[in-house]
Amino acid sequence: MADPGYVYLLRDVDTRAAGAPSDYLKLGKTKNEPNKRINILQTGNPRLITRNWYFTPEMTKLETFLHHYFSGDRVRGEWFLIDSTRETNEVIPTIETHIEEQTAYLGHCASSDLWSKVPDNGQARAPTTDEQTLSDELRAAREAKILAEAQRDIHDANLRAAIGTSNGIEDILSLQLKTNTAWTFDKNQFLASLTPEEHNACHDLETKWKSSATFQNKGDNLATLDPTLDANLTAAKALVPSSISNSNLSNPPMAKTSALIAEHQAWLDAKRDVAVQGWIIAQRQEELKASIGDYREITGVMRWPRGENTASVFNKEEAKRLFETRMISFMVPPTSPTSISVVINETRPYP
């Protein structure tokens, strides 16, 4: 679904200091005409707010992309340490390119949506030259994303492993206590306990339209692409504790060090490549889906079976009506009443 709106860039200027612009840039979004929002922000602000804004068909996706693309520069919320030169040379061209790509992407999405409702003809065909190029670009982006995610995950693991007995890391990582009260239903064990007649009694034959595209030119895994990086990731993950003790919460946070700051900064920086490659993957997949027509397969590129599919579907409400007492015996309590999650700061509030 399209999400039209504005992405805006705000910066304030100290009119008492010969109009010196701040080095802080706000990257935000709004559904409404931006001047109204900016005028509200200007009220009571002694510094002059300068602004740029861009209408985009996918406002939220563009804002999210920018926040990941410039993740290494984010200092608080939507504020980034990006001076006016970088705004002109990096931010604005990135926005303009992304809007152009969004427009083409939505066109391909509209075409693929139409083809998703058309039964495939059961046939395969060879790819065109353009389709093979798209497939090769998709493979390259997938492999690049695997490498980028591995780099990010190494820094993530290094930060988690550094916690020790501390209550997080100052300005970098925090711990959050979560209460686990929800019981879960062990559906597989319940079904295994049923006779064939009982199984049939709580299942319905359901016919649904099925449309699921898969892309065959997947590329190599991390171990093949970069064995050293794969080994480093495995080693880093091995140092991360499987759980964190509640006693950590009673201790002070660990003081940040230059090494921890560098690790955190590297984790933030790594988010750019992941976002860039993810966006390329999304574009190439929609281009190929828009291109396949009513064929089931483009050989070596993608398969897209489309048609009605009848399957046996578990009817939980009917099962409850027939076997409520037995189902209760397959309710599983949480393994622990509390757990501690690790939250890595998405900003860098340090110099």
Side-chain angles (χ1 to χ4, degrees):
M1 180 181 294
D3 178 35
Y6 297 88
V7 167
Y8 61 80
L9 313 177
L10 301 186
R11 186 188 305 280
D12 55 20
V13 174
D14 190 347
T15 55
R16 297 193 309 159
S22 163
D23 285 341
Y24 294 104
L25 180 69
K26 179 175 169 61
L27 303 176
K29 66 176 182 179
T30 178
K31 281 282 186 184
N32 303 315
E33 205 283 317
N35 260 332
K36 295 179 181 178
R37 187 162 187 174
I38 294 166
N39 289 338
I40 293 172
L41 294 172
Q42 182 67 79
T43 302
N45 189 342
R47 298 166 69 94
L48 176 66
I49 296 177
T50 63
R51 74 287 306 263
N52 282 306
W53 63 81
Y54 302 85
F55 182 80
T56 172
E58 291 282 357
M59 170 188 71
T60 301
K61 287 184 178 179
L62 176 52
E63 185 201 42
T64 300
F65 179 83
L66 292 172
H67 286 182
H68 283 83
Y69 193 89
F70 295 104
S71 176
D73 301 299
R74 177 147 50 171
V75 292
R76 183 181 178 87
E78 295 180 342
W79 288 95
F80 295 74
L81 186 60
I82 298 175
D83 62 25
S84 55
T85 299
R86 288 188 62 206
E87 177 184 359
T88 299
N89 295 337
E90 296 181 42
V91 181
I92 292 175
T94 299
I95 290 173
E96 292 174 341
T97 297
H98 202 83
I99 291 174
E100 290 179 7
E101 291 172 344
Q102 275 190 0
T103 301
Y105 171 75
L106 289 175
H108 294 132
C109 287
S111 295
S112 66
D113 183 61
L114 291 174
W115 285 121
S116 72
K117 300 175 176 64
V118 175
D120 70 80
N121 62 18
Q123 299 177 23
R125 64 170 173 83
T128 65
T129 301
D130 287 344
E131 288 168 343
Q132 188 60 58
T133 298
L134 290 173
S135 181
D136 292 341
E137 290 175 353
L138 175 57
R139 173 182 173 134
R142 280 177 162 172
E143 292 181 339
K145 188 169 183 278
I146 287 171
L147 295 171
E149 288 175 334
Q151 294 284 5
R152 178 202 62 193
D153 292 346
I154 287 173
H155 300 304
D156 181 288
N158 289 343
L159 290 172
R160 292 171 187 268
I163 297 170
T165 60
S166 302
N167 187 4
I169 304 172
E170 178 191 10
D171 289 338
I172 291 175
L173 181 153
S174 61
L175 304 182
Q176 291 185 356
L177 181 67
K178 292 186 175 182
T179 302
N180 307 320
T181 59
W183 288 50
T184 56
F185 172 55
D186 192 334
K187 174 183 169 184
N188 291 335
Q189 289 298 316
F190 167 71
L191 292 177
S193 75
L194 301 179
T195 66
E197 293 76 15
E198 289 171 333
H199 184 279
N200 291 336
C202 58
H203 281 73
D204 299 326
L205 282 179
E206 193 172 89
T207 300
K208 286 187 175 180
W209 184 263
K210 189 173 182 180
S211 171
S212 180
T214 56
F215 299 88
Q216 297 162 301
N217 193 12
K218 294 178 183 283
D220 292 322
N221 59 23
L222 179 61
T224 302
L225 291 170
D226 192 330
T228 301
L229 182 60
D230 182 57
N232 290 342
L233 177 59
T234 300
K237 286 183 173 180
L239 297 177
V240 179
S242 58
S243 63
I244 296 173
S245 171
N246 285 6
S247 62
N248 282 55
L249 302 177
S250 302
N251 297 326
M254 177 183 293
K256 61 179 179 284
T257 64
S258 58
L260 289 170
I261 288 174
E263 200 71 57
H264 183 233
Q265 183 67 60
W267 178 80
L268 291 170
D269 290 338
K271 296 177 73 174
R272 172 182 288 196
D273 283 345
V274 175
V276 168
Q277 300 306 325
W279 174 229
I280 294 172
I281 290 169
Q283 292 178 83
R284 299 301 175 265
Q285 289 184 164
E286 288 303 321
E287 286 181 84
L288 286 168
K289 288 168 69 177
S291 176
I292 193 173
D294 63 351
Y295 282 87
R296 175 175 292 184
E297 180 176 352
I298 301 175
T299 306
V301 172
M302 68 175 291
R303 295 187 76 254
W304 196 7
R306 286 152 285 168
E308 290 186 338
N309 180 66
T310 301
S312 178
V313 179
F314 177 59
N315 186 331
K316 188 174 182 179
E317 291 305 313
E318 184 65 9
K320 185 176 180 181
R321 186 183 71 81
L322 295 171
F323 312 112
E324 182 171 12
T325 301
R326 194 186 306 183
M327 288 179 72
I328 291 173
S329 68
F330 289 96
M331 294 299 294
V332 181
T335 55
S336 173
T338 61
S339 63
I340 295 177
S341 63
V342 175
V343 180
I344 300 177
N345 197 343
E346 298 279 350
T347 68
R348 53 179 183 92
Y350 43 77

